Amino acid sequence: MASAVNPSPKLIHTAACLIIGDEVLGGKTVDTNSAFFAKWCFSLGIQLKRVEVIADDEDEIVEAVKRMSNRYDFVVTSGGIGPTHDDITYQSIARAFNLELKLHQPAFERMKRLSKPHPLQPKFDWNTPSPDLTAKLRMVELPYDPKRTDAEQALFVADSLWVPIAVVNGNVHILPGVPRLFESLLENLKPLLVPRLANPEGRGIYRFLISTPLPESAVAPHLTELAMQAAPYDVKIGSYPRWGKKRNTVTLVGPNKEYMESLVPIVEARTQGKRVSAEDELDSDVEGSK
């Protein structure tokens, strides 16, 4: 495994995700990375507080990444780090924190070792200056902070990938937009983050489902009261209508499994409901009783 240094000792309670790309806003590409990141955070017990989608616009990126870095413990960006002119994430984030771009030599060496030139670039040479080489170098010219070591600013978390996770301001992690790479890098980053979680054992957040035949208006008073009681235990109670169905769903979400278990019979009694493993679990029972 290549070098992977913990970029900050700060505990991770909250997270945010910044999706960067005109193609997402224009409907050309469907964003799946934010959904993956949400599930990834949930599995680790990290509270995902915000997801934003913005254009390939330097001012937009600068504003968003500075704000997120100030407000949240762990920030991930997705997209805009390729070889073309509109891939401006690195330069924008460098500007956000008053940093210069610098060739990250270890990343460049990994790129040369682990990537192969395109078949339509048969004359490409790593040692010969060319427009193609200049384009490739854009992907390893990272925001550089002279106060931090190289290893802190580019995490290599997978031996099979040359792509680094660039880390800026201690908590901004710059990832590619390609879902396969985004997901692989996050999964391989996980072992480095577990010691910094609010729950160092790496337990995730739990979600319990209670299916109820009552309308939301009927369960609202009970849930409001329970939500106030559960708040000190960091447990949230939600209610979600299922349009066109005979049953709605009440959720208990939080890290305190034992306390949540104690709430289940109370919620079941007050909502005439039943705990289920999937929202549609009792739909067939309702249909069969017609």
Side-chain angles (χ1 to χ4, degrees):
M1 177 66 68
S3 62
V5 176
N6 186 346
S8 170
K10 183 178 180 181
L11 286 180
I12 297 173
H13 298 271
T14 60
C17 181
L18 183 63
I19 306 296
I20 301 168
D22 292 338
E23 68 277 10
V24 177
L25 291 172
K28 182 179 179 181
T29 300
V30 176
D31 166 41
T32 60
N33 288 345
S34 61
F36 179 87
F37 185 62
K39 295 176 182 177
W40 185 86
C41 287
F42 193 91
S43 72
L44 290 173
I46 301 171
Q47 298 180 49
L48 178 57
K49 291 290 190 178
R50 193 170 192 87
V51 173
E52 291 185 23
V53 182
I54 62 174
D56 292 302
D57 179 280
E58 187 166 320
D59 289 340
E60 293 278 346
I61 297 171
V62 168
E63 185 281 327
V65 77
K66 287 175 66 176
R67 171 168 42 83
M68 286 184 169
S69 182
N70 287 333
R71 293 184 181 180
Y72 307 109
D73 303 324
F74 183 77
V75 179
V76 162
T77 74
S78 164
I81 60 173
T84 60
H85 71 283
D86 58 346
D87 291 312
I88 60 172
T89 296
Y90 282 147
Q91 70 187 53
S92 301
I93 294 180
R95 176 187 151 198
F97 298 101
N98 298 313
L99 303 176
E100 300 291 333
L101 289 179
K102 180 181 178 181
L103 177 67
H104 192 276
Q105 195 64 38
F108 183 43
E109 295 301 324
R110 288 173 65 90
M111 174 191 277
K112 290 191 290 185
R113 179 165 54 87
L114 296 174
S115 67
K116 297 180 180 180
H118 194 279
L120 296 181
Q121 296 175 308
K123 296 183 179 181
F124 175 80
D125 179 38
W126 289 108
N127 299 312
T128 302
S130 67
D132 291 339
L133 178 59
T134 298
K136 290 180 181 295
L137 289 176
R138 285 173 57 86
M139 295 186 284
V140 287
E141 291 173 344
L142 312 181
Y144 177 71
D145 186 343
K147 298 178 182 178
R148 298 176 185 270
T149 66
D150 281 1
E152 290 177 300
Q153 300 182 70
L155 307 181
F156 299 109
V157 296
D159 289 336
S160 60
L161 299 175
W162 67 262
V163 184
I165 300 178
V167 182
V168 179
N169 206 37
N171 67 344
V172 177
H173 299 69
I174 308 171
L175 274 73
V178 178
R180 178 180 62 84
L181 293 176
F182 181 88
E183 294 173 11
S184 179
L185 289 170
L186 274 180
E187 284 299 310
N188 283 282
L189 178 64
K190 190 181 295 186
L192 295 180
L193 297 185
V194 168
R196 295 174 52 205
L197 299 180
N199 177 354
E201 297 178 3
R203 292 195 303 267
I205 300 172
Y206 301 97
R207 179 185 286 115
F208 294 170
L209 308 176
I210 292 92
S211 176
T212 172
L214 299 180
E216 282 196 296
S217 58
V219 301
H222 302 299
L223 298 186
T224 299
E225 179 183 348
L226 284 173
M228 294 176 63
Q229 296 176 13
Y233 298 89
D234 203 20
V235 173
K236 295 183 178 181
I237 299 177
S239 175
Y240 300 92
R242 301 177 63 231
W243 302 111
K245 302 295 183 179
K246 297 294 185 180
R247 303 184 73 88
N248 296 317
T249 303
V250 174
T251 63
L252 308 179
V253 178
N256 193 326
K257 187 177 181 181
E258 182 177 355
Y259 178 73
M260 291 165 63
E261 292 282 5
S262 73
L263 287 181
V264 170
I266 299 174
V267 176
E268 287 179 327
R270 296 187 183 183
T271 65
Q272 299 178 27
K274 181 179 179 181
R275 182 176 176 180
V276 295
S277 57
E279 286 189 305
D280 60 356
E281 185 176 312
L282 300 180
D283 288 356
S284 58
D285 295 344
V286 174
E287 294 172 359
S289 64
K290 291 181 180 178

